[in-house]
Amino acid sequence: MKHWPWGVAMGLSTAIAFGVTGVTPVWGEAIPAYRQIAQSPEDMATALLLVLEAQNALESGEDSQAEIEAALAKLAQAIPGLEAIGAPTLNLQVIAHYLSGVGHRRLRANPQALASYQRALQLSEHLTPEAAQELRGKVLNGIGLVYSDQGEITTALQFLEPALEHHRAISDRPEEAATLTNLGAVYAQLGEHRQALTLYQQALRIYQSLDDPLGQGNLLNNIGLVYHHLGEQRQALDSWQQALNVGRSLGNRRLEAASVSNLALIADGEQRRAGLGEALSHYQALGDRLHQGHILNNIGAFYAEQGNFPQALNHYQQALERLRGVGDRQGEAMSLANIASVQQRQGELTTALATIEQAIALIEELRGAIAHPNLRQTYFSRQQDYYQFYTDLLMQLHQQNPGQGYDVRAFHGSERSRARSLIDLIAEAQLDLRSSNQPALQPLLAQEREILAAIRSAEQQLIQRLHLGNSPNEGGQTRIRQEFATEIRQLNQQLDNVVAQIRRQNPAHSDLQYPEPLTLQQIQQQVLDEDTVLLQYSLHPGQSYLWLVSKTGHQTYILPPQGEIEANARLFYNNIISSRCSRAANAAACLHRTLNSPGSALYEQLLGPVGHALAGKRLLIVPDGVLHYIPFAALPLPSDASEETYRPLIMGHEMLHAPSGTAIASQRRRLAQRPPAPKDLAILADPVFSSDDPRITGRSETPTPPENTAISLSALLSRAALDRSLCIPGDGLAPLPGTRQEAQTLINLVPGDSVRSAFDFDANQDWFNSTALGDYRTLWLATHGCIDSQNPELSGLVLSLFDRNGQPQSESFLRLNQIFNLQLNADLVVLSACQTGLGEDIKGEGMVGMTRGFMYAGAKQVVVSLWDVNDQTTAELMGEFYATMQEGKPAAEALRTAKLSLWERYQDPRLWAAFILQGDWQ
C-alpha cells in the first residue's frame, strides 16, 4: 500500500506564536532609569524593572528556552511585590500576568499560561475603561492562542474574535494585525484556506503600513502555507523565499527556521533533508519543542519515502514524544498515524491497527470539542485520511484472516467517517435553540434578525443595480456581482458567529448527547427490513470497497481503485446529459451505442459482484465521492452484446440514496412520534425571474425557455466559475412555464381545502412566512435552484424576483440558512428544479447542499435532481409520481413507477433519471 505522507504536508506557521506587541512602546528605553532608582524587591520601581526586562526578553523574537525561563523568573519575583503595593500597581499586575501567560505558552505549558491569562483578565475588570480596553484585547488574544494550540478551535474563536473588536475599537493597528494573523492560522488549521488567506492579507497590509518587517516576514510564511495547501506552489515558493530573506536580514533565527522548513516542503532529495535538518537545529537552539516535533515528523516522512523504516520510525517517535509533551493533540494524532503507516509497511498489521486507533480516538475527541457545525464539518473533512487508512488496514487484515470480523470493523470505520455533521444536526433539530423562554438569548436573536435583514437588503440592491436604470456592461455586471458575493460572505460569517453563540448559550444544547455511528449489526436491526439491502461504497486510491448488507447477513467486496471507477462514472454521466437519443429514429439502438459501453463497465465495477443477490430488493445506496453524481437507476443491466437494447436498472428495483445508515436511523428516531400533518400539499411554481417578463406588463403570452445546455461532470466537480453566477440573482434565469402545468396537475389530484399554492409574483418569501408549512404532508417547490459549492451558504431556491409593478422583491431567495429554520412536518419535499441534489462534495460528509437543510427542518424524504432537467418532461414525470402516491403507494415505489413510464415513452435517461429520492422509505 502507498505510504501515507502526512508529515510531508506539515508546514510551520510562525506568526501565531507572536502575540506580544506594543504593550508600552518606550519601556525598553526606560529600563536604565528604573534600574538606577530601584532599592528593594518591594519597591514599585524594582517590580516595574523586572516586568520591563521580562517583556523586553519576550518581545525580542529570539526567545530560547533559557531566556523565556529567565523572563518568567523575573515575573514570578515581580508579581508578589506588585500585589503587596496594591491598587496603584493594578495596571502593571495585569501586564505581568499577561506576560507570564505569553512565556508559559512559548514553553507550551498551556495550563500555567491559561491560569496567568485568566488572572490578567480577572484583574482587568477593575481597570479604567480606557486601560481595560487595550489590555483585555491582548489577554483575549493570548487565551485564544492557548485554546488554538490545544486544538479547541471553537473556544479559540470565542476569544480571538472579541480581541479583534477590542483592538479595532482603539485603533491599535499592531495588535489588530497580530490578531488577524492568529485568526487566519485558526481557519487554516480548519482547512478554510481561502478565509485564512483573506485574514492574512488584511494583516499583511497593516504590517506594510507600519513598516514592520518582522510582521511581514511572519505573514509571508503563513501566506505561503495557504498557497501550498491550495496547490499554488509558485506563489508559495515566492512567499517563503521573501520570508527567508526578511529573516536573514533581521538575523531572526525563528523566522529563518520556519522559512527554511517551509521551503523544504517543495524541495527534493538531499536538499529537502538538509533544509529540514537546518530548521531542526534552529528550533533546538531556541528550545522550541512544538516546532521540533513537526520538523521531526517531516524528517520521518523523508526517510519513509526512501524506504528507511528504522530511521523513519525513530524520528516519528521523537516527534510523538515532543508533541505529546507540549499538549499538541492534533500533532500527536499525526505522529501516531505516521508511526502506524510505517508499522503497516513493515507487516506489523495488528500493531499498526492499535496505533491508528489511538490516533482516531484523538481525532474524535478534537472533533467533539468544536461547537460550530460548519467548523466541525470542515475539520472532520480534513481528517478523512485517518479513517481511510484505518479501513484499508482492516480490509488488509480481513484478506489475510477471513472470518475474524475485520470486514465488519472496516464497515464501522467507514460508517464513523460519514455524514457526522448531518447526524449531529439531526440530533440538534430536536432542540428549540431559539426559545422565547430564554431571555439571555434575546440580544443574540435580535442580532440574528438584523443580519438576515441585511442579507435581504443586499440582494434587493443587487437586483436594482442590475435591472433598473442604466444597465451596466458585462464588465460592470461582473464587478457588481463580485461585490455582492463578498458582502454576502461577510454577512454569513457574522451570522455563523451569532448562531454559534446561540448554541453555546442555550442550556439545552449543553446537555445534548450526540449519537454514535451505528455498527453493522445495529444497522441491520434499526434500519433495514426484509425487502431492503444496503449498498455502501468507499472509494480509495489503491482499491475500493462495497459492503452489501441485508437484514440477516452481509458480504464485503473489493472493487477497482477510485481512479478507474471515476473514469467510467464521468463518461457515463457526460454521455447521459449530452444524449439526444429521444429524437433518434431508434432510441434504444442510440442509447445502446452511447450508454452501454461506459454504463456496462460502471455496472460491472459497482454491481457486478453483487447482482445475483439483488433480485427483488429495494436498494438503499450510500455513495462515495463521484458516485453522488451517478443516477444508479440508469445503469444498463447486463445484456447480450448482439442486442441493440437499453434496459436500465430501475426495471428491477426501487432505489433510495442516503448519506449513511446512521443518518437514516437518527432521522427515523427523531420523527417516530410525530403526528401526521393534516393537509396534503403546499406547492410553489412558476415565479417571475426577469424584469421584462410578459406577466409584468400584463401580456398573457409566456416566454419560451431556451434549450437546456449540458454541463459535464468535470465542470460540476470544479464549479467555481459556474457557481458564482448560478447563485447570484439577475443572471437571466429562464422562465419555467412547465412548472405551472406540473403544479396544476398535482392540485387537481387533491381536495381544494387541503392544498395551498403560489404562482407568479406570489411565489415569494411572503408565502413561506404566511403559510403554516407544518400543516402539509408534501412540500413541492418547482423553481430554479442555485448551488454554490465554494460558499454553500449562498445556495438556495430562487423565488419571484419582481413584483407586479416590475420592482425587485425584497426577499427573492430562500437561502440555505432559511431552509434550516423552516418548521416542517413533511413526509416528502420535492425540489423540482435543476441540480438541486448537488452541492459541495465534502470528504466524510458527501454532498452538502439543500437536502440536509430540508432534513434538518423536518422532511422525512427529499426528491432532488442531478442535472438540468427538461421543463416539459419533468412536468410529466412529477404528475405521474404524485398521482401514484395519491393511490397510496410509497414515494420510492411511486417514483420508480413514474420513471418506468417515461422510460417506456422516451427511453432516454436524460429525461427521466435525474431525480433521486433521499431519506427514509418506511
Side-chain angles (χ1 to χ4, degrees):
M1 302 176 81
K2 185 179 178 181
H3 173 57
W4 192 15
W6 279 317
V8 181
M10 180 64 203
L12 299 177
S13 174
T14 58
I16 195 170
F18 296 91
V20 188
T21 54
V23 175
T24 305
V26 297
W27 276 14
E29 300 171 5
I31 288 177
Y34 280 109
R35 186 174 283 131
Q36 291 176 5
I37 65 172
Q39 298 297 322
S40 68
E42 290 76 27
D43 286 342
M44 183 173 176
T46 298
L48 177 58
L49 173 62
L50 292 168
V51 174
L52 290 172
E53 290 176 336
Q55 190 223 5
N56 204 46
L58 291 172
E59 283 192 330
S60 69
E62 285 295 322
D63 45 351
S64 67
Q65 182 172 347
E67 289 171 327
I68 296 173
E69 289 174 345
L72 288 172
K74 294 179 187 294
L75 293 168
Q77 183 182 354
I79 288 173
L82 294 172
E83 290 175 343
I85 295 172
T89 68
L90 187 58
N91 187 296
L92 196 55
Q93 289 180 53
V94 174
I95 293 171
H97 283 291
Y98 164 68
L99 291 172
S100 178
V102 171
H104 281 112
R105 178 180 168 269
R106 297 275 180 85
L107 295 177
R108 301 300 158 181
N110 285 341
Q112 296 93 321
L114 198 57
S116 296
Y117 282 138
Q118 289 173 335
R119 179 59 177 159
L121 194 64
Q122 180 184 19
L123 291 171
S124 71
E125 295 176 357
H126 305 288
L127 296 174
T128 63
E130 295 77 12
Q133 183 84 332
E134 177 181 0
L135 292 174
R136 283 178 68 86
K138 299 178 191 297
V139 175
L140 290 169
N141 188 47
I143 294 173
L145 289 176
V146 173
Y147 283 115
S148 175
D149 292 342
Q150 296 176 170
E152 299 178 42
I153 302 302
T154 298
T155 309
L157 291 174
Q158 290 175 30
F159 288 95
L160 291 173
E161 286 166 349
L164 183 62
E165 294 175 8
H166 277 284
H167 299 318
R168 284 176 169 168
I170 60 172
S171 300
D172 188 339
R173 300 284 281 168
E175 287 294 337
E176 179 185 353
T179 306
L180 283 167
T181 302
N182 296 331
L183 279 167
V186 168
Y187 280 103
Q189 187 178 348
L190 283 167
E192 296 280 2
H193 297 299
R194 293 293 178 189
Q195 177 66 15
L197 185 60
T198 298
L199 292 164
Y200 286 156
Q201 288 171 336
Q202 290 179 36
L204 182 61
R205 287 192 291 270
I206 295 175
Y207 283 130
Q208 288 169 339
S209 70
L210 296 171
D211 194 22
D212 181 344
L214 180 59
Q216 293 175 53
N218 289 329
L219 259 299
L220 286 166
N221 254 329
N222 292 7
I223 288 170
L225 279 172
V226 170
Y227 283 130
H228 174 66
H229 285 294
L230 292 173
E232 300 173 21
Q233 303 307 337
R234 171 49 57 186
Q235 293 92 324
L237 177 62
D238 291 345
S239 296
W240 288 333
Q241 191 61 57
Q242 290 180 61
L244 178 61
N245 294 339
V246 171
R248 286 176 172 167
S249 68
L250 295 175
N252 187 292
R253 196 165 192 175
R254 184 176 296 277
L255 177 55
E256 184 178 351
S259 305
V260 168
S261 175
N262 289 334
L263 284 165
L265 291 175
I266 52 179
D268 296 320
E270 183 59 28
Q271 183 180 3
R272 180 173 158 209
R273 190 201 61 77
L276 292 171
E278 180 185 347
L280 181 62
S281 297
H282 285 303
Y283 285 122
Q284 287 171 334
L286 291 167
D288 187 333
R289 294 175 64 79
L290 172 73
H291 287 102
Q292 288 176 45
H294 291 313
I295 294 291
L296 286 163
N297 259 325
N298 289 355
I299 295 174
F302 170 80
Y303 283 117
E305 290 176 355
Q306 304 299 314
N308 188 339
F309 298 139
Q311 280 282 22
L313 202 57
N314 175 48
H315 284 85
Y316 285 151
Q317 287 171 336
Q318 290 184 60
L320 176 63
E321 179 268 329
R322 283 165 174 76
L323 295 170
R324 184 177 277 167
V326 299
D328 182 351
R329 289 179 292 170
Q330 185 68 52
E332 181 182 351
M334 180 175 62
S335 302
L336 286 165
N338 286 333
I339 291 169
S341 71
V342 172
Q343 292 168 337
Q344 182 258 348
R345 295 180 73 186
Q346 291 179 316
E348 302 170 8
L349 302 188
T350 54
T351 304
L353 184 61
T355 305
I356 192 62
E357 285 177 338
Q358 292 180 56
I360 287 178
L362 284 168
I363 296 301
E364 292 281 345
E365 181 184 346
L366 291 169
R367 176 190 173 278
I370 301 174
H372 195 290
N374 289 345
L375 297 181
R376 191 188 311 137
Q377 172 181 287
T378 300
Y379 171 79
F380 197 58
S381 73
R382 296 184 64 217
Q383 315 309 314
Q384 289 302 299
D385 283 344
Y386 291 82
Y387 293 88
Q388 191 171 94
F389 176 83
Y390 182 51
T391 302
D392 282 334
L393 185 57
L394 284 164
M395 289 303 297
Q396 189 177 359
L397 283 162
H398 168 68
Q399 289 173 280
Q400 292 184 4
N401 307 277
Q404 295 191 18
Y406 286 114
D407 60 334
V408 175
R409 292 173 66 181
F411 175 90
H412 189 225
S414 171
E415 189 70 13
R416 290 175 74 186
S417 71
R418 292 175 186 267
R420 297 288 293 279
S421 294
L422 173 60
I423 296 165
D424 292 348
L425 285 171
I426 291 172
E428 288 185 1
Q430 302 175 58
L431 305 178
D432 183 4
L433 293 177
R434 293 164 176 78
S435 172
S436 59
N437 298 324
Q438 300 290 337
L441 295 179
Q442 297 311 306
L444 289 172
L445 295 175
Q447 192 175 351
E448 181 185 36
R449 289 191 294 269
E450 290 174 4
I451 296 172
L452 290 171
I455 292 173
R456 293 193 295 268
S457 174
E459 290 175 347
Q460 185 179 25
Q461 290 175 21
L462 174 68
I463 297 172
Q464 289 176 328
R465 293 176 69 185
L466 291 177
H467 287 274
L468 303 180
N470 295 323
S471 181
N473 58 29
E474 184 175 347
Q477 289 187 0
T478 299
R479 179 181 54 78
I480 290 171
R481 292 190 178 104
Q482 289 173 342
E483 291 172 355
F484 167 80
T486 299
E487 181 180 5
I488 290 295
R489 278 193 291 272
Q490 292 171 348
L491 288 169
N492 273 292
Q493 184 179 351
Q494 295 175 31
L495 184 63
D496 283 347
N497 293 336
V498 170
V499 172
Q501 292 180 64
I502 292 171
R503 281 187 165 86
R504 289 194 298 268
Q505 295 189 25
N506 191 304
H509 190 270
S510 62
D511 297 332
L512 179 65
Q513 296 295 315
Y514 290 110
E516 286 295 315
L518 299 183
T519 64
L520 187 147
Q521 292 82 358
Q522 289 171 325
I523 286 176
Q524 289 176 317
Q525 297 164 4
Q526 300 178 30
V527 176
L528 299 176
D529 55 39
E530 297 293 342
D531 299 321
T532 307
V533 294
L534 169 67
L535 296 170
Q536 182 151 311
Y537 293 91
S538 187
L539 305 186
H540 294 197
Q543 59 186 19
S544 302
Y545 309 103
L546 165 62
W547 290 272
L548 170 65
V549 185
S550 68
K551 182 71 174 176
T552 57
H554 76 277
Q555 292 292 328
T556 307
Y557 300 89
I558 306 297
L559 303 184
Q562 179 177 357
E564 295 180 20
I565 292 174
E566 285 181 347
N568 282 323
R570 292 170 190 269
L571 185 58
F572 179 64
Y573 181 97
N574 291 338
N575 283 5
I576 286 180
I577 64 170
S578 60
S579 167
R580 293 297 181 266
C581 287
S582 59
R583 303 172 183 174
N586 187 337
C590 175
L591 291 169
H592 177 82
R593 291 191 300 273
T594 58
L595 297 185
N596 268 27
S597 177
S600 296
L602 187 59
Y603 177 95
E604 186 59 32
Q605 289 175 327
L606 300 179
L607 296 171
V610 299
H612 64 281
L614 303 182
K617 297 295 186 180
R618 180 185 300 112
L619 308 183
L620 176 61
I621 299 165
V622 177
D624 187 27
V626 72
L627 299 184
H628 286 284
Y629 296 85
I630 298 305
F632 278 71
L635 285 171
L637 289 167
S639 61
D640 191 309
S642 63
E643 297 180 19
E644 287 196 344
T645 60
Y646 167 65
R647 299 168 55 249
L649 185 63
I650 192 69
M651 292 178 64
H653 306 279
E654 296 175 20
M655 296 179 199
L656 302 98
H657 291 236
S660 73
T662 304
I664 295 290
S666 298
Q667 189 76 330
R668 188 177 290 174
R669 283 194 301 270
R670 172 194 171 194
L671 304 180
Q673 304 302 317
R674 184 176 72 177
K679 298 181 181 180
D680 283 298
L681 177 66
I683 187 165
L684 178 147
D686 199 16
V688 177
F689 300 127
S690 173
S691 58
D692 58 5
D693 190 292
R695 287 171 287 184
I696 290 177
T697 62
R699 289 181 287 153
S700 59
E701 65 267 25
T702 303
T704 302
E707 181 70 23
N708 286 334
T709 301
I711 302 172
S712 72
L713 182 54
S714 296
L716 288 173
L717 292 174
S718 57
R719 300 175 54 85
L722 176 63
D723 289 336
R724 282 192 289 272
S725 64
L726 270 177
C727 288
I728 297 176
D731 285 334
L733 294 172
L736 298 172
T739 64
R740 180 182 293 272
Q741 172 192 338
E742 173 185 333
Q744 198 57 57
T745 299
L746 272 57
I747 290 170
N748 293 337
L749 294 171
V750 296
D753 60 353
S754 194
V755 63
R756 180 171 172 83
S757 62
F759 299 97
D760 307 322
F761 309 102
D762 296 327
N764 58 30
Q765 187 68 243
D766 289 340
W767 184 78
F768 285 92
N769 297 336
S770 63
T771 302
L773 294 178
D775 289 344
Y776 295 89
R777 291 188 290 276
T778 301
L779 174 62
W780 208 285
L781 303 173
T783 181
H784 283 295
C786 67
I787 305 297
D788 190 328
S789 62
Q790 287 192 338
N791 306 285
E793 69 276 2
L794 294 181
S795 299
L797 295 170
V798 187
L799 307 177
S800 184
L801 301 179
F802 299 92
D803 63 18
R804 288 173 172 78
N805 299 317
Q807 297 299 310
Q809 296 265 24
S810 60
E811 299 180 71
S812 53
F813 272 68
L814 186 69
R815 295 289 187 190
L816 189 56
N817 56 16
Q818 295 169 303
I819 292 172
F820 270 90
N821 290 328
L822 295 175
Q823 300 294 316
L824 301 182
N825 189 15
D827 294 329
L828 177 69
V829 171
V830 177
L831 304 182
S832 183
C834 296
Q835 302 175 14
T836 51
L838 304 183
E840 184 177 11
D841 185 11
I842 295 178
K843 290 178 67 175
E845 286 297 324
M847 199 68 70
V848 176
M850 286 184 280
T851 301
R852 65 177 47 203
F854 282 104
M855 290 183 70
Y856 178 89
K860 182 179 178 182
Q861 296 173 300
V862 184
V863 172
V864 293
S865 63
L866 298 175
W867 57 77
D868 289 344
V869 293
N870 178 279
D871 197 27
Q872 183 59 40
T873 54
T874 297
E876 296 179 41
L877 176 76
M878 292 302 178
E880 296 197 29
F881 171 42
Y882 193 67
T884 307
M885 286 182 59
Q886 290 301 103
E887 296 171 3
K889 302 294 184 183
E893 181 180 348
L895 186 58
R896 173 175 176 260
T897 299
K899 287 182 175 181
L900 284 173
S901 177
L902 263 71
W903 169 68
E904 292 170 355
R905 201 175 308 158
Y906 300 110
Q907 294 283 304
D908 192 342
R910 181 178 65 88
L911 302 179
W912 58 262
F915 287 96
I916 60 172
L917 180 62
Q918 300 194 24
D920 184 9
W921 67 96
Q922 291 187 352

